[in-house]
Each structure stands twice: as structure tokens, then as C-alpha cells.
Amino acid sequence: MERATPGTIVTLKDVAAASGVSISTASRALDERTASRSAAAAHVRKVAEELGYRRNSFASSLRRGETRTLGVLVPRLSDTVMALMFEELERAAAARGYFAMVATSGDDPNDERRAAETLLDRNVDGLILATARLDDELPRLLRERNVAHALVLRTDGASPSALGDDEVGGYLAVRHLIDLGHRDIAVVTGPSFTSTGIARLAGARRALNEAGIVPREDWVIAGGYGIENGFEAGEALLDAAARPTAVFAANDNIAMGIMSAAHRHHLRIGADVALVGYNDTPLASRLPTPLTSVHVHLDQIARTAIDLIMEPGSEPRVRKSIPTLIPRESSGPRVEGKSGRS
């Protein structure tokens, strides 16, 4: 049997005729979702391959009322955690026979709304939102329109959500520093409009309260999640007459900014200042002073998000993965005689 010449479109009718079966039988044999293992179906698939037939999955999906695609909205792909999250979502979707497509919003609610509408116009079967603002109206609008969706790495408490337990993560980070003997502990957290920033700070405060430590309010700094935000916070903390002996940074970018500020002030991370980050990004273990960090299980979160899309209405609606603290050289013990208090 000769393969079709280049430029020739081989139709399902051609495959059926060459296989000696009806068009409906050929279609069932070539449907990846319900592919039969019978000898007849195997014969149809072999003929289709020899002819160079290419199934129009998009058209067949539309006939079934679905496209087997999911839209993923992230603030930006230049953020390491967002890029890693999308990769895990892509893998988890593929394992369920779905294709994931991504759009960015730049943390702008209007851009996010436009991107969501563009994805919905392409008939995606559901939306996964990794955008972070608690004042975001999009999840509510999606609920009102009965659009299948899930939030990842954050929650508004109402929409289906898959995330790490940020409160537990913040607790683990600060409890680790306390166990090393530190009491002069600063916390640099994320923006107050994010569930991650709020929850990680709550966990940090719980650990401090348990140890009877009342943190200095000027040592609790809320800001952005970028390296530059960490540097600014590090400058404020380490350039003062009284400085903390340990810092919990609510993500690894902030921690790297604090490392840069410490270097500028000739302070050794792990010796003069203990430091814990969050997310355990790939760079954390490869820094000149490997960074202690809270590891978030993105693969679990991705699989859970896909499950929430596939099983609308299932409980619990908010599902949290327990993070793990990964100790490294950046979180050294408190050195006797050193104190951040003036």
C-alpha cells in the first residue's frame, strides 16, 4: 500500500475504504480515547499509518463538546516557580490525555480577565489560575458562569484550589531557626494581597509565639516576591545598629536578595546571619552558600489541580500539600555572644 503523496490529505473515508470497513468502524478504531485492541482495529490503525492519515483531534473533540485542552493563567513565566508549576501542570494534563496552554497576566486583573476570555473563546475545557491576588474577581465570575476551574499555589477559600500548606511551611521555617538557638528572627514575607504571603507570615508568627518570642515589628517586612525586594529588605535589616541573627524569607528570590545585601555588608550567610527561603527552587542548592528552603511539592499540586478540573464539585474543594523543610548551609546555629538586640 502506497503512502499518500506530499500535500495530499488522507481522509477517514480513505482509511475506511482501504481497510474494508465502514467509516464509523474506522473512526472508533482510531479514537485514542476508546481505541479497541481487536485485530480488526489494529488492522485499521496499521492501514492509517501506511497511508499517512492524521486524525483531526480538534474537530473530533468539538463534536464531543470538548477540546481536551486546559488553559493555564500565570502572572509571568520569567518567575521560576511559575515556570516550574506550568511544566508540572503540562505533565499532569498530558497524563490525563489533555493539552495545556499558557497565558500570562503580569499581575494585572484586567489583563488576566482578557487572557481568560481569550482562552475560553478557544473552547478550553477548564482554566487553572496561578495568579495571586486575593482581590481578584475572576474566580468569582468563573463560579457564577459554572466554568470548570481550579486555583494553584493560592486559594480564595471558595473556588477549587490546589496549593502547598503555606501556614505549615512558614511554621517549619521559623521553628527550624528557633531550634538552632535563634531568638532575634526577622521575617520578610510576600505582598499582603496574596494568600501565600498571609499564610506564611501566620505560620512564622505561630512558631514565634510558641517559643515566647515577640518579634520587633520593624523586623517583619512585607513586600514583593522579587530579588530586588529581598535586597531592599536585607539592606533595611542588616544596615541597622541592631540586626537579626536569622531571617525567614518567604520565597527563594527574597532570600537571594538578602544574600546580596549581606555580602555588601561583609556578613557571612550561615555564620553571621542564618537564612531560610521558600519553594526550594533548583538554584537554592547550587548557590555559593546552599540555601535552606521549604520544599513545595509542585507535582502533587499539579495532579490535584487536574483532578479538581476533572471532578467538579468534589470535596474538599481546597486541597493542601504538606511542604518539607530542606536544611542546608545557609541556616547555621546562633553563635554565642552575638545578639541582634541593642
Side-chain angles (χ1 to χ4, degrees):
M1 184 177 301
E2 292 187 3
R3 192 176 183 88
T5 57
T8 302
I9 298 176
V10 178
T11 66
L12 183 63
K13 183 178 179 180
D14 296 330
V15 174
S19 304
V21 299
S22 68
I23 293 176
S24 60
T25 299
S27 178
R28 285 194 298 273
L30 295 171
D31 189 336
E32 295 175 357
R33 303 174 72 219
T34 59
S36 169
R37 296 184 179 181
S38 69
H43 171 67
V44 172
R45 289 192 288 271
K46 184 173 185 296
V47 169
E49 183 180 357
E50 291 174 349
L51 288 174
Y53 172 74
R54 186 176 181 85
R55 183 175 178 80
N56 188 338
S57 299
F58 182 72
S60 59
S61 294
L62 284 178
R63 285 193 294 273
R64 291 193 298 264
E66 60 180 20
T67 60
R68 309 292 289 181
T69 60
L70 298 173
V72 180
L73 272 171
V74 300
R76 58 189 62 80
L77 284 172
S78 57
D79 182 294
T80 302
V81 175
M82 290 296 106
L84 292 171
M85 186 74 256
F86 176 67
E87 288 179 1
E88 293 295 348
L89 286 167
E90 198 172 34
R91 276 191 280 270
R96 299 287 290 267
Y98 280 74
F99 175 76
M101 62 174 67
V102 67
T104 59
S105 69
D107 266 336
D108 183 294
N110 293 324
D111 288 346
E112 180 192 43
R113 187 89 54 87
R114 282 191 289 269
E117 292 297 339
T118 298
L119 290 168
L120 292 173
D121 286 346
R122 283 160 173 73
N123 295 307
V124 296
D125 296 324
L127 286 177
I128 297 175
L129 312 180
T131 43
R133 302 186 66 97
L134 284 172
D135 57 1
D136 184 3
E137 288 291 302
L138 181 57
R140 178 184 61 79
L141 294 174
L142 294 176
R143 292 194 300 272
E144 290 175 355
R145 293 167 59 180
N146 291 318
V147 174
H149 68 286
L151 314 186
V152 290
L153 297 179
R154 59 108 168 192
T155 182
D156 64 354
S159 282
S161 308
L163 65 159
D165 194 321
D166 292 301
E167 196 273 343
V168 168
Y171 176 87
L172 291 174
V174 174
R175 184 72 250 179
H176 173 66
L177 293 171
I178 293 169
D179 290 343
L180 290 169
H182 294 281
R183 294 186 65 81
D184 298 312
I185 300 170
V187 178
V188 184
T189 188
S192 59
F193 60 75
T194 63
S195 65
T196 53
I198 292 171
R200 291 171 196 176
L201 177 58
R205 286 193 183 277
R206 179 162 68 90
L208 293 169
N209 290 338
E210 281 184 5
I213 299 171
V214 179
R216 289 175 45 150
E217 285 309 308
D218 58 332
W219 286 0
V220 178
I221 300 174
Y225 276 132
I227 293 175
E228 66 282 358
N229 302 112
F231 180 79
E232 290 171 5
E235 282 289 294
L237 292 168
L238 303 178
D239 193 32
R243 60 174 174 78
T245 64
V247 182
F248 164 47
N251 81 348
D252 289 352
N253 283 342
I254 294 173
M256 284 187 276
I258 292 170
M259 283 183 163
S260 179
H263 178 75
R264 182 173 179 275
H265 290 280
H266 307 290
L267 297 172
R268 297 166 298 164
I269 293 294
D272 299 313
V273 181
L275 181 63
V276 177
Y278 204 105
N279 286 319
D280 192 30
T281 52
L283 187 58
S285 63
R286 296 172 175 83
L287 292 166
T289 302
L291 177 65
T292 296
S293 190
V294 177
H295 181 79
V296 179
H297 301 278
L298 297 181
D299 55 341
Q300 292 180 11
I301 292 170
R303 290 193 297 271
T304 300
I306 301 300
D307 289 343
L308 288 167
I309 293 285
M310 299 297 102
E311 303 160 12
S314 61
E315 297 292 340
R317 295 174 69 79
V318 178
R319 303 181 191 181
K320 297 180 180 180
S321 170
I322 301 300
T324 307
L325 182 80
I326 309 296
R328 297 191 181 98
E329 295 172 26
S330 72
S331 57
R334 178 180 178 274
V335 177
E336 287 300 323
K338 286 189 177 180
S339 173
R341 305 281 182 177
S342 57

